[in-house]
Amino acid sequence: MNTTNRILLALSALGMVAIFAMVFLILPDDRAQGFVQKIFYLHVPCAWVSFLAFTVTAFRGLRYLMTKDLGHDRAAAASAEIGVLFVSLALITGSLWGRPIWGIWWTWDLRLTTTFVLWLLYVAYLILRRAIGDRERRAQLSAVTGLISFVDVIIVYFANRVKATQHPAPVIGGGEDSGLPGLFLFTLLLGVFTMTVFYTLLLRTRTEMAAIEDDIEDLWLAHS
Amino acid sequence: MKAFWGIVGAVLARDVRAEWRRKDIFTTIVMFGLLTVVVFVFSFDPSRHAREEVVPGTLWTAFFFAGILGLNRSAARDSQDDLVSGLITSPADRGALYFGKLLAHLVFMLVGEAVILPLVVVWFDLGARHLTPSFFALLALGTLGYLAVGTVFAVVGQKTRLREVMLPVLLLPVLTPLLLACVEGTTIVMTPDTMEGFGAWIKLLVGFDVIFLVTGFLLYGFVLED
């Protein structure tokens, strides 16, 4: 592991410890929702990282189409895998919150449904990758699919505004009453920062791994 | 510019001619669309539900599923005819090829819908009150947006090991906002005495169509050549 990855690993580990310290030891319980509300400090960063990851997938796909450099394709694929992981975590943490607060694990509310659609979009992207053997063809068709999916994500979030949703309104920048007092905001930002660092670490490692996988495949083909 | 539309016309004419001889896409769309309607009639007894509860979902599910089979048939036929290699060896503008294919699919889909819709009208007892210009606007915009994405993914699916299976897996999640707008819009049309909120869905549809027509136009070339 190189120095940059070591630093990223140390930062994410420290950040995680700090978040858990804030959640379990320092922040008071929410007046209306009690302790359950604190899952928010994991839920929001996970959702944020999934958006970041899918944006990176689209961007690296576009770079692939422009340069035909397979390194971009490997990064796009790695980012999509991590995005699916984090959107799954956002769905699971949301569900864990929904059960005590709404009384149900899941509802076919628009916001929840569209997050599930996000999951489907990128699972489909990963299925597509597994269904193509040739490396260049896979890179090309995945890049196109990644871009179309990303455009769709944007439209889906406009559709969210047309119909009322049961999901809580954005806490920051969501209207006049939104905003968080100091320590709460600090914890949220710490969560977002830590998860972003952790994402960067995962992305770097997974992309390096994909390059090694390709090398092994080439060696294997050359010897057989 | 004239050359561009010349290519669009040539691709369209070729596809329509091929379909006129074989009629397999037409048969696929109509048969599968009608079967989907029948499955829905058995699943949700229409005599026990209000029209606006059953018709929108039935109609759009039938069109969506029939469209997938039609698009797959079209892509499989092009692959058998080795049409794709013919198209990419030609110096034709890739965007023109996209619009040509899209228009051909639009013709097939609209002809299929023109057969399915009258039967739905009879079976669900729809009247002039339901078949308004707003309804046909939904139908046109919905079908166009559907094919704007479907035309690209049909070729993608055909180039994978999964072939026919890949298209719905890729296409249906992307179409969620379109399906939502079409079904919600149709529900408003079918509900008596109100058109409230209809404009927002039409706006969403127009936005979807424009964005994906541009995206398809720009990306179709990358899908053909790889």
Side-chain angles (χ1 to χ4, degrees):
Chain A
M1 192 186 265
N2 63 39
T3 322
T4 320
N5 285 1
R6 271 175 220 274
I7 296 170
L8 290 171
L9 181 63
L11 272 178
S12 13
L14 281 174
M16 301 276 185
V17 172
I19 297 167
F20 279 98
M22 290 303 284
V23 164
F24 285 100
L25 305 172
I26 298 170
L27 291 180
D29 284 356
D30 185 84
R31 208 176 299 157
Q33 300 183 359
F35 181 72
V36 189
Q37 180 272 335
K38 288 180 178 171
I39 207 162
F40 168 81
Y41 300 106
L42 281 179
H43 177 70
V44 174
C46 287
W48 149 255
V49 166
S50 65
F51 283 118
L52 175 69
F54 298 142
T55 313
V56 170
T57 298
F59 178 72
R60 297 301 286 260
L62 185 66
R63 293 289 299 147
Y64 174 80
L65 292 181
M66 289 155 67
T67 61
K68 306 283 165 187
D69 172 4
L70 281 168
H72 288 303
D73 178 60
R74 287 191 286 264
S79 198
E81 283 180 10
I82 304 164
V84 168
L85 169 71
F86 276 90
V87 86
S88 309
L89 288 172
L91 285 168
I92 292 168
T93 49
S95 207
L96 289 175
W97 175 87
R99 177 68 191 172
I101 302 299
W102 286 342
I104 38 172
W105 294 108
W106 182 261
T107 169
W108 288 105
D109 168 77
L110 199 56
R111 182 76 174 265
L112 276 70
T113 310
T114 50
T115 309
F116 180 57
V117 168
L118 193 63
W119 186 88
L120 285 173
L121 277 172
Y122 286 91
V123 170
Y125 172 92
L126 296 177
I127 294 173
L128 173 76
R129 296 192 64 92
R130 305 208 99 202
I132 307 170
D134 180 74
R135 220 175 271 170
E136 273 82 24
R137 171 175 282 199
R138 180 170 59 215
Q140 182 107 344
L141 296 180
S142 306
V144 170
T145 306
L147 281 166
I148 292 181
S149 303
F150 184 68
V151 170
D152 198 59
V153 171
I154 299 168
I155 300 178
V156 161
Y157 279 81
F158 275 106
N160 259 331
R161 290 169 191 273
V162 179
K163 225 184 160 189
T165 168
Q166 208 175 333
H167 186 276
V171 177
I172 293 166
E176 281 179 14
D177 295 336
S178 66
L180 278 177
L183 263 188
F184 300 90
L185 181 65
F186 170 76
T187 313
L188 179 64
L189 293 178
L190 183 69
V192 168
F193 171 77
T194 307
M195 285 298 184
T196 310
V197 172
F198 188 48
Y199 160 77
T200 316
L201 174 68
L202 287 177
L203 179 66
R204 288 173 58 97
T205 338
R206 184 66 186 93
T207 311
E208 284 161 25
M209 206 172 115
I212 296 169
E213 283 169 359
D214 280 359
D215 288 346
I216 292 173
E217 198 182 270
D218 289 341
L219 281 173
W220 192 79
L221 285 173
H223 282 273
S224 60
Chain B
M1 207 57 208
K2 206 176 164 197
F4 183 91
W5 291 107
I7 296 162
V8 173
V11 174
L12 171 64
R14 181 260 163 210
D15 272 20
V16 170
R17 209 178 317 122
E19 176 59 19
W20 185 254
R21 286 180 193 146
R22 297 183 231 193
K23 298 179 185 69
D24 52 347
I25 297 177
F26 171 77
T27 322
T28 309
I29 292 178
V30 170
M31 273 314 288
F32 203 74
L34 290 180
L35 286 170
T36 312
V37 174
V38 171
V39 168
F40 262 74
V41 169
F42 280 117
S43 313
F44 306 93
D45 182 356
S47 60
R48 287 196 286 149
H49 293 274
R51 207 178 267 119
E52 62 265 25
E53 288 172 21
V54 191
V55 176
T58 306
L59 202 58
W60 286 105
T61 311
F63 290 160
F64 269 48
F65 285 156
I68 284 173
L69 267 77
L71 284 169
N72 264 332
R73 194 77 279 278
S74 162
R77 204 164 74 178
D78 289 353
S79 162
Q80 282 162 13
D81 296 352
D82 211 9
L83 184 81
V84 175
S85 18
L87 289 176
I88 51 175
T89 35
S90 82
D93 184 286
R94 288 356 183 190
L97 297 179
Y98 170 70
F99 281 125
K101 272 279 161 210
L102 174 70
L103 286 177
H105 290 150
L106 197 60
V107 170
F108 304 153
M109 237 353 235
L110 290 178
V111 170
E113 288 174 0
V115 177
I116 299 167
L117 188 63
L119 288 163
V120 172
V121 168
V122 174
W123 289 340
F124 291 91
D125 190 28
L126 301 181
R129 188 164 62 77
H130 307 109
L131 303 171
T132 55
S134 310
F135 174 75
F136 287 104
L138 277 178
L139 203 62
L141 289 170
T143 309
L144 181 63
Y146 180 93
L147 296 172
V149 188
T151 301
V152 179
F153 277 151
V155 185
V156 173
Q158 205 51 232
K159 290 191 172 196
T160 68
R161 275 194 293 261
L162 293 173
R163 294 191 182 265
E164 282 76 15
V165 183
M166 202 65 236
L167 176 63
V169 171
L170 290 172
L171 186 57
L172 289 176
V174 175
L175 292 177
T176 339
L178 182 93
L179 180 63
L180 179 76
C182 289
V183 171
E184 294 282 340
T186 313
T187 308
I188 295 174
V189 171
M190 295 292 150
T191 311
D193 309 320
T194 177
M195 284 302 275
E196 207 189 310
F198 186 78
W201 296 116
I202 288 286
K203 266 188 219 153
L204 182 65
L205 276 179
V206 171
F208 187 98
D209 288 10
V210 170
I211 292 170
F212 277 111
L213 284 174
V214 174
T215 312
F217 173 77
L218 293 174
L219 294 178
Y220 196 64
F222 292 113
V223 174
L224 287 183
E225 322 163 15
D226 66 80

